[in-house]
Amino acid sequence: MRYLTAGESHGEALIAIIEGLPSNLFIDAEFINKELERRQKGYGRGGRMAIEKDEIHIISGVRDGKTTGAPLAMEIKNRDYKNWKDKKVPPVTRPRPGHADLPGSIKYNQRDIRNILERASARETAARVAVGSVAKLLLKELNISLKSRVLEIGGAKREEKWKRLIEKAKKEGDTLGGIIEIVIEGVPVGLGSHAQWDRKLDALLAYHVMSVQGIKGVEFGLGFEGARLPGSLVHDDIYYKENEGFYRKTNNAGGIEGGMSNGNPIVIRAAMKPIPTLLRPLDSVDIATKEETKAIYERSDVTAVEAAACVLEAVCAWVIADECLKKFGGDSVEELKRNYDTYLAYVRSF
Ligand SMILES: Cc1cc2nc3c(=O)[nH]c(=O)nc-3n(C[C@H](O)[C@H](O)[C@H](O)COP(=O)(O)O)c2cc1C
């Protein structure tokens, strides 16, 4: 499968096109809308989220609620568009450190940074959540599920501290990042491959996780902690039981060995940097006058770690769904499930 997104933060709408979906997949719009709503929530979000109430509009590829095998096109309208479409806004010339503003303006020869920031904005992640929701619907057919949780915000591990830290950052015109964990359950052994670098499952997941705005680090299982421990404490011993097959007592590998899923839950953690738009702006230089100044402030979140967790689930769901289709094939959901069941029976008999 493949997908593309289009759309700007204050443009008319966000668009996503998915190609390669099997037919007869029930597209549950209510489920997609619930996922879109999850992305909009979380403590520390800015004023934009009070304006937008994202809702999916299916444009093509679905008939009687089910996919036909044709490309699926989806649209999410930007409710804020009506406030912007006729507004005359001066060019943005003071780039924000940590954003696409300066490198993007130089690269694309734009003297109004808005032509860069509108597309670089994480508003685009609404389209990715829609795509990921469709991937989740496909995975549901194979009994594969994903969940996520926030592990840290602003360096604090205890949830009781988060609200206070976010309030403090808000008061000080500052922002916060955090750490998110994604767990994927029910993944069969054998997705991905050891045989070629670009087919490794951990590499593919890392690529998609890193593509999310603001994500600066990714680890699997013990991750960086494993680098500090001896092998005897890191690798998951292998055992066998007559009726259960091969199993492990630990999952330090995070469900992936040699670029392949090993049948254990896949455990991924991602580090999100603090939001780069600060109410107390950072030092910058005006690209028109070259004078030292402060960066612009666009209405913005103080932190978006909870929202990012939802986006990360979506991109991971996409990778696993795509790998399932690659491995098991099938032009309809029925064919995919038949192939899947045959494979699971083979694994049980190995
Ligand atoms: C769900 C989500 C919401 C975000 N909200 C904001 C925001 O309101 N303001 C902002 O400056 N950055 C926000 N970001 C982060 C920026 O989009 C991101 O740091 C920027 O695009 C630079 O990308 P990079 O960090 O990957 O280089 C958000 C990110 C995500 C995932």
Side-chain angles (χ1 to χ4, degrees):
M1 292 191 293
R2 55 186 173 154
Y3 78 89
L4 280 178
T5 73
E8 279 83 29
S9 182
H10 299 94
E12 203 170 333
L14 293 158
I15 302 280
I17 299 180
I18 306 178
E19 208 236 359
L21 274 172
S23 65
N24 294 336
L25 177 67
F26 172 56
I27 298 298
D28 183 349
E30 204 179 309
F31 173 72
I32 301 175
N33 284 334
K34 274 201 190 116
E35 293 287 286
L36 291 174
E37 195 182 334
R38 274 183 68 213
R39 191 202 72 95
Q40 295 190 278
K41 288 199 171 138
Y43 205 74
R45 304 305 304 279
R48 175 79 187 267
M49 291 309 132
I51 299 168
E52 298 297 347
K53 191 190 174 301
D54 291 337
E55 224 172 291
I56 201 69
H57 173 52
I58 311 278
I59 297 173
S60 73
V62 174
R63 198 150 183 247
D64 298 330
K66 289 184 174 178
T67 54
T68 60
L72 173 70
M74 299 182 284
E75 181 194 54
I76 304 162
K77 286 240 180 277
N78 284 326
R79 293 186 188 219
D80 207 11
Y81 176 61
K82 61 178 184 309
N83 306 322
W84 280 75
K85 68 177 187 335
D86 300 320
K87 198 155 111 180
K88 286 271 162 285
V89 284
V92 176
T93 57
R94 295 177 287 132
R96 295 160 301 172
H99 253 294
D101 299 8
L102 184 59
S105 299
I106 297 171
K107 179 176 167 71
Y108 289 95
N109 190 19
Q110 296 298 319
R111 306 298 159 142
D112 182 354
I113 295 169
R114 183 157 301 285
N115 294 340
I116 301 301
L117 69 83
E118 281 288 325
R119 177 63 185 160
S121 158
R123 177 80 191 127
E124 185 260 351
T125 60
R128 283 209 265 176
V129 167
V131 168
S133 307
V134 173
K136 281 185 182 182
L137 290 171
L138 185 66
L139 292 176
K140 242 186 231 173
E141 299 283 343
L142 308 179
N143 295 319
I144 299 171
S145 62
L146 293 96
K147 58 185 183 198
S148 64
R149 61 190 178 127
V150 174
L151 298 181
E152 285 184 32
I153 292 182
K157 289 192 169 72
R158 297 214 340 260
E159 201 174 338
E160 311 87 80
K161 282 194 168 176
W162 296 344
K163 212 166 159 177
R164 198 165 41 81
L165 277 178
I166 294 167
E167 283 308 320
K168 184 169 175 280
K170 193 174 179 180
K171 226 177 266 162
E172 291 168 356
D174 218 327
T175 58
L176 298 171
I179 298 176
I180 298 143
E181 184 175 80
I182 303 107
V183 178
I184 317 171
E185 279 167 339
V187 181
V189 61
L191 295 188
S193 174
H194 68 291
Q196 197 60 261
W197 64 271
D198 60 352
R199 293 180 58 199
K200 293 179 189 236
L201 188 62
D202 43 0
L204 291 167
L205 284 164
Y207 185 156
H208 286 251
V209 164
M210 288 300 293
S211 79
V212 174
Q213 291 84 335
I215 301 300
K216 292 297 129 191
V218 57
E219 61 177 18
F220 293 84
L222 276 187
F224 277 66
E225 187 52 33
R228 301 180 188 111
L229 297 169
S232 56
L233 295 180
V234 170
H235 303 298
D236 306 305
D237 297 289
I238 301 173
Y239 302 95
Y240 182 80
K241 251 191 217 155
E242 189 71 34
N243 294 322
E244 288 171 36
F246 299 99
Y247 73 96
R248 319 292 177 104
K249 294 178 183 170
T250 52
N251 185 21
N252 292 334
I256 301 178
E257 289 171 307
M260 290 167 283
S261 53
N262 66 7
N264 284 320
I266 295 178
V267 182
I268 307 163
R269 274 180 299 278
M272 185 180 193
K273 73 182 186 184
I275 299 285
T277 307
L278 276 70
L279 193 53
R280 189 162 45 85
L282 299 168
D283 290 345
S284 186
V285 173
D286 191 305
I287 60 168
T289 64
K290 308 295 185 294
E291 272 166 28
E292 286 186 6
T293 177
K294 293 286 177 187
I296 49 137
Y297 177 75
E298 281 264 323
R299 188 179 46 205
S300 186
D301 302 327
V302 174
T303 189
V305 181
E306 275 184 62
C310 178
V311 180
L312 290 173
E313 272 180 40
V315 298
C316 291
W318 173 266
V319 173
I320 301 298
D322 191 36
E323 286 303 302
C324 283
L325 271 178
K326 254 189 229 159
K327 182 158 174 56
F328 308 115
D331 294 305
S332 66
V333 168
E334 295 80 9
E335 189 181 3
L336 170 68
K337 281 166 86 166
R338 249 186 343 258
N339 296 346
Y340 190 56
D341 289 343
T342 307
Y343 178 72
L344 292 186
Y346 152 73
V347 171
R348 277 194 298 273
S349 71
F350 185 84

